[in-house]
Amino acid sequence: MVIKMRIKKENDNIILEDAECFDIAFSLDCGQAFRWKNIKDNIWTGVVKNKYLKIEQKENKIIFYNTSLEDFNLLWKEYFDLDRDYKKILDSYDDESLLIACKEYYGIRILKQDEWETVCSFIISQNNNIPRIKGIIERLCENFGENIGEGYSFPSAEKIASLKLEDLDVLRAGFRSKYILDAAQKISSKEVDIEKLKEMNFEDAKQELIRIKGVGEKVAQCSLLYGFGRIEGFPQDVWVKRIVSELYPDGLPECIKGTEGIAQQYLFHWRRNLENL
DNA sequence: TCCCAGGCTCTCT
DNA sequence: AGAGAGCATGGG
């Protein structure tokens, strides 16, 4: 499969030209990742694993500042899911409402985030609102992550597992702190083994994740979709449940079979923004 | 002030 | 197995 885009190196930057179906603002701010900051216009900064990135979109170009070709190929290409043909997938949809959502928010991509970070982040997301989720995660990184010069990395499961429950009070995460600690302990001890999860089928992997306290159906689906690249995941939060009951009471459209997670992300963002009008 | 947030656990039927 | 209360905290 060949995806239409051109990759150029210019000074210390990587320039991506004519990438199809890639809107960085939609992708970074549609509720799947919580650490990206919109510093101005269409410029965003964030930290993934131990790398800081400043990224800008203008016209047909996306600029990855201070990025080596090696980092682009080894990290960012996967993170932004650049080997997947989103245009082809969206073109295959034939459901009326879904097409509206896809047209309105064309360019959302499913980010391939770090597995542990995703599990932890979506544990924090439960019964919570997005500004507060971002705040808790920011405090988690500043207090327990590593200073990488510009910003902090997301702390490892091992680091969090070494802490006491009351050490997490600084997060002001409420009842979620004990879940964060349990997730860190089970993952760092490999009682829940991330590497093995990657080899499992979707249902088995989901059941493994649910062994972590504070991880239920929804958090497990989010983890698999955003952290493991399992685009067949279909997390149903309050918004998606509304969509399903309003539009698809008799079942999801056949056309999204296999790419449910991508359809879900467009529908989620669309339905959620309708409410804010 | 009150309601609610990208839910889960525990308890009671 | 299905329903409902309780949960910590703070944004709007």
Side-chain angles (χ1 to χ4, degrees):
Chain A
M1 180 167 56
V2 179
I3 308 294
K4 180 190 155 195
M5 62 179 173
R6 292 200 303 280
I7 301 163
K8 293 199 311 194
K9 182 119 175 69
E10 222 177 78
N11 302 322
D12 291 328
N13 308 326
I14 296 288
I15 317 276
L16 194 59
E17 288 184 340
D18 298 323
E20 273 186 326
C21 194
F22 187 11
D23 184 299
I24 67 171
F26 285 160
S27 299
L28 299 175
D29 195 26
C30 66
Q32 55 174 327
F34 302 103
R35 296 200 62 200
W36 289 93
K37 288 181 184 163
N38 185 202
I39 59 169
K40 62 172 284 194
D41 298 331
N42 219 353
I43 304 178
W44 295 73
T45 62
V47 177
V48 172
K49 297 192 187 291
N50 283 307
K51 301 284 182 179
Y52 170 90
L53 177 66
K54 181 166 98 170
I55 182 171
E56 176 175 18
Q57 183 158 36
K58 47 183 178 186
E59 294 151 22
N60 67 328
K61 290 183 183 174
I62 295 170
I63 305 160
F64 294 70
Y65 289 99
N66 296 307
T67 299
S68 66
L69 195 53
E70 186 182 8
D71 281 347
F72 179 81
N73 284 323
L74 292 180
L75 179 62
W76 302 115
K77 202 185 221 183
E78 180 187 53
Y79 185 81
F80 289 106
D81 204 15
L82 293 176
D83 284 329
R84 199 187 305 279
D85 193 341
Y86 278 72
K87 184 174 189 304
K88 185 177 170 188
I89 292 169
L90 269 48
D91 281 346
S92 74
Y93 293 159
D94 61 7
D95 175 80
E96 191 182 349
S97 307
L98 178 56
L99 285 172
I100 293 171
C102 288
K103 189 176 177 190
E104 194 155 345
Y105 294 106
Y106 189 73
I108 293 179
R109 307 181 76 88
I110 300 294
L111 305 173
K112 167 60 183 79
Q113 302 177 64
D114 177 77
E115 296 85 0
W116 147 249
E117 176 175 343
T118 310
V119 172
C120 189
S121 296
F122 280 90
I123 284 173
I124 291 166
S125 79
Q126 68 182 239
N127 194 234
N128 213 341
N129 57 57
I130 289 181
R132 218 173 79 81
I133 295 165
K134 289 180 178 174
I136 293 170
I137 292 172
E138 191 168 13
R139 292 190 286 278
L140 181 66
C141 296
E142 287 176 356
N143 281 283
F144 306 117
E146 286 177 34
N147 188 330
I148 59 165
E150 295 175 282
Y152 293 84
S153 66
F154 194 91
S156 67
E158 291 72 20
K159 169 69 181 176
I160 300 301
S162 74
L163 302 174
K164 294 191 171 80
L165 185 56
E166 52 269 31
D167 294 332
L168 297 179
D169 288 349
V170 290
L171 304 181
R172 305 200 303 276
F175 62 89
R176 304 168 192 83
S177 282
K178 55 183 180 291
Y179 300 155
I180 295 169
L181 191 57
D182 187 65
Q185 290 168 348
K186 286 202 169 81
I187 287 176
S188 65
S189 71
K190 301 195 191 304
E191 185 178 335
V192 173
D193 191 331
I194 297 288
E195 292 308 313
K196 286 183 182 166
L197 288 184
K198 294 178 185 173
E199 311 299 322
M200 292 181 185
N201 67 50
F202 189 90
E203 192 58 31
D204 289 346
K206 192 179 78 181
Q207 290 308 324
E208 272 298 293
L209 287 169
I210 287 176
R211 295 175 55 210
I212 297 168
K213 286 179 198 156
V215 176
E217 176 72 25
K218 157 70 167 56
V219 172
Q221 293 266 0
C222 286
S223 303
L224 290 169
L225 175 58
Y226 306 122
F228 290 79
R230 298 293 185 94
I231 58 165
E232 69 268 44
F234 192 78
Q236 294 198 42
D237 70 311
V238 288
W239 298 101
V240 176
K241 281 178 180 162
R242 269 172 215 160
I243 292 165
V244 171
S245 66
E246 288 165 3
L247 301 176
Y248 314 119
D250 300 320
L252 299 175
E254 193 65 25
C255 62
I256 71 169
K257 208 163 189 55
T259 63
E260 289 89 342
I262 293 174
Q264 177 270 157
Q265 198 61 31
Y266 280 87
L267 289 168
F268 165 76
H269 199 54
W270 171 63
R271 182 64 179 80
R272 195 165 174 280
N273 284 128
L274 276 182
E275 209 70 16
N276 296 332
L277 293 179

